[in-house]
Amino acid sequence: MILTVTLNTALDITYRVRSLRPHASHRVSEVTERPGGKGVNVARVLAALGHEVTVTGFTGGATGRVVQELLAPAPGVVDALVPVAGPTRRTVAVVDDRSGDTTQLNEPGPTITPTEWSAFQETYETLLASASAVALCGSLPPGVPVGAYAGLVRTARSFSVPVLLDTSGEPLRRGVAARPDIIKPNTDELAELTGSHDPVRATQDARRRGARAVVASLGAEGLLAVTLEGRWRAAPPTLVRGNPTGAGDSAVAGLLSGLVEHLPWPDRLARATALSAATVRAPVAGEFDRGVYEELLGSVTVTGEASAA
């Protein structure tokens, strides 16, 4: 079982409009709702790849109940969310059909009490006992300690469970110091962590800070990885246009599935890059266009070299 942690779960709402204009009224052509938050998106992609996945984190209020109702039919995904008093947040994505651009609005999430945080930690340890890998994903809701991910990384390591960390800001800085197996920042998050805007230099610096492997998302240009085994760059053969929301989460799913399947790094990166591009072509986060994925998987370019033995 692969465990995904989404401390700030969400109800993802996607609106499609013909053309998004400031200070104007818009007619929405399509509305979709999905259970969301980065780890939930990762879980759905992992399940679509054939893995058993358990989702944990927090859920609360009427929005939380909707998230759980929508999550229940998802094949291969087990709900182990921890109830809290505050309402689960909503995120709103507005897709401009004319330009293809997406505007994202993210609520902060519920305030978590010390008792609720302790209840989650107990659930987390119970789930780790049967986990083959864990992904710690996304922002922290109010009330959760800023060093929460660092503690969760150390707990996973005490269970000998490999851990992938995908967050930003101070939670990422502290989490890296706890030595996760993989971190997956984008270029902005990497620059904030290291102070360098050169992806190669910043990726190397992030690894020196504690991560065993750093996989940087370069957007449409693919992925850059610096690991114990070597360094590689993976890129899709063509620019794929569409909604980029969730593309990074699909990359995490590709990396995590490759980890538990013991794939070599070039194959993990090819899978993650193809999944990311295929998600751009899908209408909502947490889904990917399987035809695009299968088409791209064999044509992703991976360059680099393994470390000397």
Side-chain angles (χ1 to χ4, degrees):
M1 177 268 288
I2 299 176
L3 177 63
T4 70
V5 174
T6 313
L7 295 177
N8 215 0
T9 53
L11 177 64
D12 287 345
I13 304 167
T14 303
Y15 293 146
R16 302 193 73 93
V17 299
R18 182 178 179 185
S19 178
L20 182 62
R21 304 180 308 280
H23 316 298
S25 177
H26 297 80
R27 186 177 298 277
V28 176
S29 61
E30 181 182 348
V31 181
T32 57
E33 291 185 340
R34 294 288 188 278
K38 294 178 72 64
V40 175
N41 295 336
V42 170
R44 287 206 303 272
V45 175
L46 283 169
L49 293 172
H51 291 275
E52 295 182 1
V53 192
T54 296
V55 171
T56 191
F58 296 112
T59 182
T63 306
R65 288 192 292 274
V66 173
V67 167
Q68 291 185 287
E69 289 169 2
L70 294 173
L71 192 60
V77 178
V78 175
D79 176 357
L81 294 168
V82 176
V84 295
T88 295
R89 67 186 178 129
R90 294 163 297 183
T91 69
V92 179
V94 183
V95 180
D96 184 321
D97 284 335
R98 180 169 295 177
S99 68
D101 292 337
T102 300
T103 299
Q104 191 84 15
L105 304 172
N106 298 327
E107 295 180 356
T111 298
I112 305 302
T113 68
T115 299
E116 290 166 342
W117 176 236
S118 294
F120 167 78
Q121 290 176 290
E122 292 178 7
T123 297
Y124 178 66
E125 290 191 17
T126 300
L127 294 169
L128 280 175
S130 56
S132 57
V134 58
L136 306 175
C137 302
S139 62
L140 301 178
V144 173
V146 71
Y149 281 136
L152 297 180
V153 169
R154 286 191 288 267
T155 301
R157 289 175 60 84
S158 72
F159 279 78
S160 299
V161 175
V163 56
L164 185 153
L165 176 62
D166 184 16
T167 188
S168 60
E170 186 65 12
L172 174 59
R173 189 184 71 81
R174 297 198 186 192
V176 167
R179 302 185 62 80
D181 293 87
I182 306 172
I183 63 170
K184 195 216 67 65
N186 61 33
T187 51
D188 290 339
E189 293 162 350
L190 195 58
E192 183 180 9
L193 174 66
T194 65
S196 173
H197 291 274
D198 179 332
V200 174
R201 180 178 300 173
T203 304
Q204 293 170 337
D205 184 11
R207 186 169 174 272
R208 285 192 294 268
R209 290 169 183 257
R212 291 172 59 85
V214 180
V215 181
S217 175
L218 307 179
E221 297 179 10
L223 300 172
L224 172 66
V226 176
T227 79
L228 285 171
E229 292 83 0
R231 62 184 64 179
W232 294 271
R233 186 162 184 166
T238 58
L239 176 63
V240 178
R241 297 189 180 277
N243 179 5
T245 305
D249 304 332
S250 291
V252 168
L255 295 171
L256 208 58
S257 62
L259 171 67
V260 299
E261 294 173 29
H262 306 290
L263 297 181
W265 269 105
D267 291 346
R268 297 186 205 180
L269 295 169
R271 177 183 290 181
T273 301
L275 281 170
S276 181
T279 298
V280 172
R281 289 285 294 273
V284 293
E287 297 181 359
F288 63 94
D289 186 309
R290 187 170 290 274
V292 172
Y293 167 63
E294 293 175 352
E295 178 182 342
L296 290 178
L297 184 59
S299 56
V300 171
T301 301
V302 181
T303 58
E305 59 183 3
S307 300

